[in-house]
Amino acid sequence: KAGVTQTPRYLIKTRGQQVTLSCSPISGHRSVSWYQQTPGQGLQFLFEYFSETQRNKGNFPGRFSGRQFSNSRSEMNVSTLELGDSALYLCASSLRGSTSPLHFGNGTRLTVT
Amino acid sequence: GENVEQHPSTLSVQEGDSAVIKCTYSDSASNYFPWYKQELGKGPQLIIDIRSNVGEKKDQRIAVTLNKTAKHFSLHITETQPEDSAVYFCAARGEGAQKLVFGQGTRLTINP
């Protein structure tokens, strides 16, 4: 069974631009979560989607948004990029969400210059 | 909200010895505790998890113990091998919660 796939693996953007990251969950998984990983803050929860609905959101500004499609694939968008948005963005999928183990992809490394 | 603290931040052991990483959590309602291993350039990989109705779980060389009263849980790796070198994260999740709260990670180095 294929794992969680994230594209692209690497991105370089400049301040003020916007970016869209993509995530394909494990087949059959309906819940997709996004996490930001930085050396200083560690792994921080961004949001979680289940059946195209956002169920929970972390403490991030409104510049961070996401969506989930009917095939469970998910995208997250960051607008008006800031230098501090440089991070590894991880997508994770699970069968049902809160009662199922979370499986992570290898992430998208975003660098903002 | 939930807060998870993980110790130590770095750990170096001789190949063949055991390694222990400890985590404490703050929310007594948390009921699911996974451990992840992250290698360079990869995402976290789930290696073992435990639910609050179980005190210990073992999978080959890896075991996790949970003390609900003290609100702490630990990862034990026996007979360590060079391929065990990685960063390990503990996490906690409350009942009905959609998010995992992670510890800050432990960089484990196995010395040959």
Side-chain angles (χ1 to χ4, degrees), chain A residues 4 6 21 23 31-38 41-49 56-60 64-65 74-76 78 85-94 97-98 100-110, chain B residues 32 34 36 38 43-44 89-94 97-103:
Chain A
V4 177
Q6 291 187 247
L21 313 182
C23 172
S31 169
V32 173
S33 300
W34 289 88
Y35 287 77
Q36 181 195 64
Q37 185 175 27
T38 59
Q41 298 299 315
L43 283 146
Q44 301 283 315
F45 173 77
L46 280 157
F47 28 66
E48 189 242 0
Y49 288 87
N56 200 5
K57 192 176 192 303
N59 292 329
F60 280 82
F64 292 80
S65 63
S74 177
E75 289 181 346
M76 70 162 278
V78 188
D85 297 333
S86 295
L88 180 67
Y89 289 88
L90 292 159
C91 171
S93 76
S94 66
S98 62
S100 310
L102 220 56
H103 299 275
F104 285 86
N106 286 330
T108 293
R109 171 75 61 188
L110 172 64
Chain B
Y32 175 67
Y36 287 86
Q38 187 172 25
F89 292 94
C90 64
R93 184 171 69 191
Q98 278 79 46
K99 70 174 187 180
L100 286 174
V101 177
F102 284 86

Side-chain angles (χ1 to χ4, degrees), chain B residues 7 9 12 15 19 32 40 47 53 57 69 72-76 78 85 94 98 109-110 112:
Chain B
H7 299 281
S9 57
S12 184
E15 182 178 352
Y32 175 67
L40 201 61
I47 56 173
N53 57 349
K57 184 176 178 181
T69 303
H72 68 70
F73 55 113
S74 300
L75 177 71
H76 304 254
T78 59
S85 293
Q98 278 79 46
T109 303
I110 308 301

Side-chain angles (χ1 to χ4, degrees), chain A residues 17-20 63-65 76-81 85 89:
Chain A
Q17 286 187 315
Q18 75 159 16
V19 66
T20 299
R63 300 184 296 106
F64 292 80
S65 63
M76 70 162 278
N77 184 77
V78 188
S79 62
T80 320
L81 284 165
D85 297 333
Y89 289 88

Side-chain angles (χ1 to χ4, degrees), chain B residues 82-97:
Chain B
E83 53 265 36
D84 294 330
S85 293
V87 179
Y88 290 79
F89 292 94
C90 64
R93 184 171 69 191
E95 185 172 357

Side-chain angles (χ1 to χ4, degrees), chain B residues 11 13-21 47-48 56-65 74-85 88 108 110:
Chain B
L11 180 61
V13 302
Q14 288 298 120
E15 182 178 352
D17 287 350
S18 296
V20 180
I21 302 170
I47 56 173
I48 195 165
E56 184 175 359
K57 184 176 178 181
K58 191 174 181 181
D59 182 4
Q60 300 183 339
R61 297 185 297 109
I62 293 174
V64 57
T65 58
S74 300
L75 177 71
H76 304 254
I77 306 175
T78 59
E79 300 172 14
T80 53
Q81 300 167 3
E83 53 265 36
D84 294 330
S85 293
Y88 290 79
L108 174 64
I110 308 301

Side-chain angles (χ1 to χ4, degrees), chain B residues 30-51:
Chain B
S30 289
N31 63 359
Y32 175 67
F33 308 92
W35 285 89
Y36 287 86
K37 173 185 181 182
Q38 187 172 25
E39 297 174 281
L40 201 61
K42 295 188 177 181
Q45 175 193 2
L46 179 66
I47 56 173
I48 195 165
D49 57 9
I50 192 168
R51 298 188 185 273

